[in-house]
Amino acid sequence: MDPSIWNTRAVIVHRDDNGYGLTVSGDNPVNVQTIKKDGAADRAGIREGDIILKVNGTLVEHMNHTEVVNLIR
């Protein structure tokens, strides 16, 4: 993937009583696979296919799926 074509944005997702409302997949980078309609991620503007570059200020673009999920939790 060519990083020069990425439209990057910062999005803050606040977990609600139902969690974050998203599933992620892949490794290096991890991307958003599905979004729960009206869930926390949907309300924050996350979209299916978005690539996760940072979690809580930590660069994760070269981390594997398990590492990123552990940071999200």
Side-chain angles (χ1 to χ4, degrees):
M1 221 177 286
D2 179 2
S4 67
I5 63 170
W6 294 354
N7 290 321
T8 57
R9 55 192 163 51
V11 180
I12 299 172
V13 181
H14 295 281
R15 179 176 51 201
D16 62 21
D17 292 338
N18 298 310
Y20 291 104
L22 60 83
T23 59
V24 298
S25 65
D27 286 312
N28 314 315
V30 172
N31 63 72
V32 176
Q33 183 177 16
T34 62
I35 299 290
K36 181 178 180 181
K37 184 173 173 28
D38 298 321
D42 186 29
R43 291 190 306 271
I46 302 285
R47 296 182 299 254
E48 291 178 0
D50 281 353
I51 296 170
I52 301 173
L53 300 176
K54 283 187 178 181
V55 175
N56 294 328
T58 301
L59 285 170
V60 299
E61 61 189 318
H62 299 293
M63 290 185 179
N64 67 40
H65 179 88
T66 302
E67 292 168 321
V68 174
V69 168
N70 286 336
L71 282 175
I72 292 171
R73 288 185 178 155

